[in-house]
């Protein structure tokens, strides 16, 4: 990459990495922040029920705010220009992490949750940064720039949870605490904002700004219900995200309670899952596309991830959980990538953005629901919630299998050039 390209693309790539980093950063820490009576910011005599409630809020408030923030920020970036809204998002992310750090130091649960919600509202920076890079790309370098975006995202996914776990463990350094990772990411986001302020300029003239529709995500979801194929895929994707959301949240608590993992060990475990994400995205999907269709790959990913998660609930032994985590992480990413492709294939060319927006909204809703399912811990326990998530994966596999059969039958009857079921719905 030339120095000119680095100057133009660098701030946007950095923003993508920070956004991905911030998402995974919190998961190895939340179960310790709210669950461990000795290190929690809650009083030691706080009931388990209340701890689970706050833990569910900590998990759920981010995707709830992201549900509205992603589409809102994307719409604003079209009307006011990428630069202004990117700066708003990146500096907003920085503020959100500083507020979370202050919430830990105070201590104040309300301030921590407010910062967490603000980070979700500002999470649209990843999509806007990707759009900005696309704006700057030419047909000759677009593929290369897309690969840099994937690399930036991958780095964030791996580094985030490791940073969150290691930098919050006082056994590694006495100056570390639960606030340290938030301070570090806040500082990185602040540096990214300054870099973007100095180096990045709009390359596309903003369109005329119309009235901002805050309820746009709800309108998009309502419209999706009337489109048969997209509505069906939305249910499949919802079940899949419930499955993985329960896995990521519950496996941390299981490792903490059963094997006494601290935040550093939980961070390393999450980082290992991130490595498997990247392996699934960059290697497994590409190999499978050589011999299988998108739907067959999605089915395989859902099936393998579901079986691995069910086995995690039935075989809660440390070595087994690490080995099965590799399968869950890798094949969840396989299914995730191909599910987005299935959404794209289900609609006509002029509705691509809408369909992918639906997928993003469904994911956000699923993660909100998953956060509040944490309140079932006293009833089901960690292994019970893992089993529920595994069943979610397997149900999504069965539905995707039926979708593939119906699609093949339609193509066989109408000809290979006919649209998939529901494309004109």
């Amino acid at each position: 990459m030339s120095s000119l390209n680095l100057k133009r693309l660098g701030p946007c790539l950095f923003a993508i990495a920070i956004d991905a980093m911030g998402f995974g950063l919190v998961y190895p820490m939340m179960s310790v922040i709210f669950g461990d009576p000795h290190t929690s910011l809650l009083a030691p005599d706080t009931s388990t029920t209340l701890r689970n409630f706050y833990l569910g809020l900590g998990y759920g408030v981010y995707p709830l705010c992201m549900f509205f923030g992603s589409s809102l920020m994307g719409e604003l970036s079209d009307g006011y220009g990428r630069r202004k809204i990117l700066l708003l998002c990146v500096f907003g992310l920085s503020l959100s992490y500083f507020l979370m750090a202050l919430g830990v130091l105070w201590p104040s649960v309300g301030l921590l949750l407010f910062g967490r919600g603000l980070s979700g509202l500002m999470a649209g920076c990843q999509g806007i940064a990707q759009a900005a890079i696309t704006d700057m790309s030419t047909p000759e370098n677009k593929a290369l720039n897309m690969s840099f975006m994937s690399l930036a995202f991958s780095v964030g996914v791996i580094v985030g949870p490791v940073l969150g776990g290691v930098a919050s463990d006082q056994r590694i350094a006495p100056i570390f605490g639960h606030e340290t990772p938030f301070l570090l990411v806040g500082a990185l986001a602040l540096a990214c904002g300054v870099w973007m302020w100095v180096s990045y300029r709009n390359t596309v003239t903003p369109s005329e700004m119309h009235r901002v529709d805050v309820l746009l995500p709800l309108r998009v979801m309502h419209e999706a219900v009337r489109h048969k194929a997209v509505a069906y895929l939305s249910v499949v994707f919802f079940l899949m995200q419930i499955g993985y959301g329960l896995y990521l949240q519950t496996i941390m608590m299981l490792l903490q309670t059963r094997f006494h993992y601290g935040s550093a060990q939980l961070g390393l475990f999450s980082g290992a899952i991130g490595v498997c994400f990247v392996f699934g995205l960059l290697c497994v999907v590409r190999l499978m596309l050589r011999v299988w269709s998108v739907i067959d790959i999605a089915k395989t990913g859902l099936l393998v991830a579901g079986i691995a998660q069910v086995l995690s609930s039935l075989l809660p032994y440390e070595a087994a959980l690490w080995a099965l985590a590799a399968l869950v992480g890798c094949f969840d990413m396989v299914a995730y990538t191909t599910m987005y492709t299935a959404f794209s294939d289900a609609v006509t060319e002029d509705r691509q953005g809408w369909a992918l927006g639906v997928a993003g909204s469904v994911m956000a809703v699923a993660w909100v629901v998953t956060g509040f399912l944490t309140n079932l811990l006293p009833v089901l326990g960690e292994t019970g919630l893992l089993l529920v998530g595994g069943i979610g994966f397997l149900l999504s596999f069965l539905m995707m299998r039926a979708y593939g059969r119906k699609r093949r039958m339609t193509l066989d009857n109408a000809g290979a050039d006919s649209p998939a079921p529901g494309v004109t719905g």
Side-chain angles (χ1 to χ4, degrees), residues 31-347:
S31 60
V32 178
I33 287 175
F34 288 116
D36 190 339
H38 304 292
T39 60
S40 170
L41 58 80
L42 299 175
D45 59 348
T46 303
S47 68
T48 301
T49 301
L50 188 57
R51 288 183 184 277
N52 290 335
F53 174 74
Y54 280 128
L55 182 61
L57 278 180
Y59 286 141
V61 70
Y62 178 94
L64 176 63
C65 293
M66 184 179 69
F67 176 72
F68 292 97
S70 293
S71 58
L72 175 63
M73 293 304 171
E75 191 175 359
L76 289 173
S77 75
D78 288 337
Y80 290 106
R82 310 278 188 230
R83 184 174 185 269
K84 288 181 180 179
I85 307 306
L86 267 175
L87 288 170
L88 171 65
C89 286
V90 174
F91 283 125
L93 276 178
S94 179
L95 175 62
S96 73
Y97 284 104
F98 287 139
L99 288 175
M100 283 188 271
L102 185 59
V104 173
L105 289 168
W106 193 288
S108 169
V109 174
L111 195 56
L112 174 67
L113 294 176
F114 178 77
R116 179 72 170 151
L118 181 60
S119 70
L121 190 63
M122 297 295 142
C125 77
Q126 182 169 159
I128 302 171
Q130 291 171 338
I133 292 174
T134 302
D135 293 341
M136 291 185 281
S137 301
T138 64
E140 292 75 23
N141 66 15
K142 185 174 182 179
L144 178 63
N145 289 345
M146 296 300 107
S147 68
F148 282 128
M149 284 197 293
S150 296
L151 178 62
F153 177 81
S154 300
V155 168
V157 165
I158 295 171
V159 171
V162 176
L163 177 67
V166 172
S168 62
D169 195 330
Q170 289 185 327
R171 292 174 297 182
I172 296 175
I175 63 171
F176 287 170
H178 295 316
E179 75 283 354
T180 311
F182 297 132
L183 291 172
L184 289 174
V185 178
L188 288 174
L190 182 62
C192 179
V194 173
W195 187 9
M196 190 168 292
W197 181 282
V198 173
S199 300
Y200 175 70
R201 296 292 181 272
N202 288 326
T203 56
V204 174
T205 303
S207 60
E208 182 181 352
M209 188 65 207
H210 301 288
R211 184 178 64 87
V212 174
D213 187 359
V214 178
L215 298 179
L216 178 63
L218 298 178
R219 301 185 198 281
V220 168
M221 295 295 287
H222 179 263
E223 188 179 355
V225 173
R226 297 181 295 174
H227 190 293
K228 292 181 180 179
V230 171
Y232 190 92
L233 290 172
S234 294
V235 177
V236 177
F237 199 50
F238 178 82
L239 290 171
M240 171 197 164
Q241 291 302 316
I242 288 287
Y244 184 68
L246 282 175
Y247 177 80
L248 188 59
Q249 294 171 186
T250 309
I251 197 70
M252 300 295 165
M253 290 181 279
L254 179 62
L255 291 170
Q256 181 191 0
T257 56
R258 186 161 299 199
F259 303 106
H260 310 292
Y261 273 29
S263 56
Q265 292 166 299
L266 293 175
L268 292 174
F269 184 87
S270 298
I273 294 177
V275 171
C276 295
F277 272 174
V278 175
F279 180 72
L281 175 66
L282 300 182
C283 300
V284 178
V285 171
R286 294 185 181 184
L287 290 173
M288 295 175 80
L289 280 171
R290 295 180 180 179
V291 292
W292 286 351
S293 70
V294 165
I295 292 177
D296 287 334
I297 298 172
K299 289 189 302 184
T300 303
L302 294 169
L303 178 62
V304 175
I307 291 174
Q309 186 160 335
V310 169
L311 290 176
S312 296
S313 71
L314 300 177
L315 303 170
Y317 308 110
E318 188 173 12
L321 292 177
W322 276 82
L324 291 168
L327 290 175
V328 174
C330 177
F331 284 92
D332 173 76
M333 181 53 70
V334 168
Y336 176 85
T337 304
T338 47
M339 281 299 300
Y340 263 88
T341 306
F343 271 98
S344 176
D345 291 344
V347 298

